[in-house]
Amino acid sequence: MNADMQEILLEAEEPPSSNPNWNDWRWQLRNAITKISKLHKAFPFDTDKLAVLDKVASKYPLAITPYYFSLIDRKNPNDPIMMQCFPSPEEENLYFHIQDDPLGEEKDSVITGLVHRYPDRALITLTDICPVYCRHCTRKREWCKGKWVRSARELEVIYRYLLLHEEIRDVIISGGDPLILSTGKLEAVLYNLRTIKHIEIIRIGTRCPVVLPQRIDIELVSMLKKYRPIWLNTHFNHPREITGESASACDRILCAGIPVNNQSVLLKGINDSTEVMTKLCQGLLKIGVRPYYLFQCDPVSGTGHLRTPIEKGLEIIKGMRGFTSGLAVPTFVIDGLEGQGKIPLQPDYFLSHEKDCVILKGYKGEIFRYYNPRG
Ligand SMILES: *Cc1c(COP(=O)(O)O)cnc(C)c1O
Ligand code: SF4
């Protein structure tokens, strides 16, 4: 038995709690599964699939932290955790109207690493590295460019742009996953942003609470606390991702006075039912996380097999609104192509105008007339 194999068997047999390194986020990153051969050893599948998956992974790499891997239910061939992180031959399928950068992020990038699409907010991408590569990722095209982190020089140009644009009051730090940076590097970015007076709020977009909750350590949250107001947006997609670890990670962020919101992506066979989405959103409220957006999966190459018809999202929202806490109901949005921005979609509660009335539909489907006061 080679050393690699021995290590995997050890990991598989050892309950996470007795692994002394389990809570060390750097260990989790170092031991992430990034090769099909390693995946095959840890999770045996048909050997004849090896070559095709190797080909998929050469285009769209994989990375799965031991923590996220441990959440997979090995008995379920359609496990929702597995489907989010295992490369699939279907990623090579061709679909109509699918492209590498449908949102025109590259075109909208006024300067390297900065997207200024909306009047008062800008988005910075700090790295393309993520602890787990989600198969549905909008930025999949970036993965092939190799691992990069913004250089000091690029950051200087970004700060200068932000300083000159006084209309920007909300800056989103995104990636990749920005929390892959060391706490010190991240602090330098926050420190620099905070020297710009017109920046009111800073948002951090990260999937770490879900795929690498160990990263949310005390050192990180006490650093973040100093640069508030900060809002953290994370990315839970399935109720099974709500674990003791991910709940504690969110709790540590919340205790630092940083609100946590969630942005899910609607994914075929993973969370595309009212039942699963309701369970997810109710579960999020229980851990203090507010469901913010439910995204239609973008028409990005390599994700076609995970996309749902738009009606599916509307049906889910219709099945939630009124039937559960309004706080649990996210806004269903489509990211418009070529930088048109996010477009919110609602089931039809407004039916028509009639003289001085409007005709509305209640959540249970009853239709009624409502007097419309004159302006
Ligand atoms: C989503 C997004 C934002 C933030 O949008 P909100 O609706 O304010 O959450 C900002 N910039 C870009 C490029 C985005 O894609
Ligand atoms: S965490 Fe976000 S940026 Fe990273 S792979 Fe997943 S969807 Fe893409």
Side-chain angles (χ1 to χ4, degrees), residues 174-195:
S174 177
D177 200 315
L179 296 192
I180 214 84
L181 268 66
S182 70
T183 302
K185 281 219 175 84
L186 206 60
E187 174 156 22
V189 175
L190 293 172
Y191 179 86
N192 278 290
L193 292 180
R194 278 290 171 235
T195 61

Side-chain angles (χ1 to χ4, degrees), residues 115 117-118 121 123 172 203 292-293 335 342:
V115 187
R117 176 175 296 156
Y118 298 99
R121 47 221 195 275
L123 183 145
I172 300 159
R203 289 196 242 179
Y292 176 44
Y293 283 142
D335 225 335
K342 296 181 182 69

Side-chain angles (χ1 to χ4, degrees), residues 63-249:
I64 313 170
T65 55
Y67 163 78
Y68 199 61
F69 188 80
S70 77
L71 303 184
I72 294 169
D73 171 7
R74 288 162 168 264
K75 292 188 289 299
N76 180 359
N78 300 313
D79 179 76
I81 311 283
M82 184 173 83
M83 285 176 69
Q84 287 183 65
C85 61
F86 277 33
S88 154
E90 291 182 286
E91 290 174 43
E92 300 220 283
N93 292 359
L94 295 175
Y95 293 83
F96 192 52
H97 278 306
I98 278 215
Q99 22 178 329
D100 279 347
D101 181 21
L103 308 185
E105 288 194 336
E106 283 171 19
K107 200 177 64 174
D108 262 20
S109 276
V110 267
I111 47 173
T112 307
L114 187 133
V115 187
H116 187 190
R117 176 175 296 156
Y118 298 99
D120 69 343
R121 47 221 195 275
L123 183 145
I124 314 176
T125 51
L126 281 189
T127 173
D128 70 339
I129 305 172
C130 284
V132 165
Y133 284 123
C134 313
R135 305 326 289 178
H136 55 272
C137 182
T138 298
R139 301 208 174 92
K140 256 180 132 149
R141 64 171 191 279
E142 299 271 345
W143 300 350
C144 299
K145 295 187 189 161
K147 314 256 167 259
W148 50 259
V149 174
R150 288 277 161 249
S151 66
R153 174 87 197 89
E154 286 171 324
L155 284 171
E156 279 309 319
V157 179
I158 290 173
Y159 301 144
R160 199 161 342 119
Y161 181 94
L162 293 172
L163 185 63
L164 288 173
H165 287 260
E166 291 184 18
E167 71 277 19
I168 297 174
R169 38 161 294 286
D170 176 354
V171 172
I172 300 159
I173 301 177
S174 177
D177 200 315
L179 296 192
I180 214 84
L181 268 66
S182 70
T183 302
K185 281 219 175 84
L186 206 60
E187 174 156 22
V189 175
L190 293 172
Y191 179 86
N192 278 290
L193 292 180
R194 278 290 171 235
T195 61
I196 304 173
K197 291 289 169 278
H198 55 266
I199 297 177
E200 296 170 4
I201 63 167
I202 296 173
R203 289 196 242 179
I204 296 176
T206 171
R207 209 179 179 195
C208 279
V210 185
V211 297
L212 183 63
Q214 297 78 12
R215 174 64 185 104
I216 315 296
D217 53 17
I218 296 302
E219 186 199 4
L220 175 73
V221 294
S222 9
M223 183 279 282
L224 293 178
K225 198 173 176 171
K226 294 189 278 177
Y227 299 92
R228 287 179 303 167
I230 292 183
W231 290 68
L232 189 140
N233 277 351
T234 191
H235 180 172
F236 285 87
N237 283 331
H238 193 276
R240 288 243 322 283
E241 293 169 337
I242 304 175
T243 63
E245 282 102 325
S246 60
S248 305

Side-chain angles (χ1 to χ4, degrees), residues 325-341:
S325 319
L327 281 172
V329 186
T331 304
F332 178 47
V333 287
I334 296 186
D335 225 335
L337 304 184
E338 307 298 337
Q340 290 144 340

Side-chain angles (χ1 to χ4, degrees), residues 266-297:
L266 187 52
L267 298 167
K268 192 198 261 171
I270 295 176
N271 59 12
D272 58 339
S273 74
T274 304
E275 193 193 351
V276 171
M277 195 51 71
T278 304
K279 203 167 166 204
L280 168 66
C281 293
Q282 290 172 341
L284 289 174
L285 289 188
K286 275 166 57 181
I287 63 166
V289 177
R290 169 82 217 263
Y292 176 44
Y293 283 142
L294 171 62
F295 281 101
Q296 167 74 6
C297 184

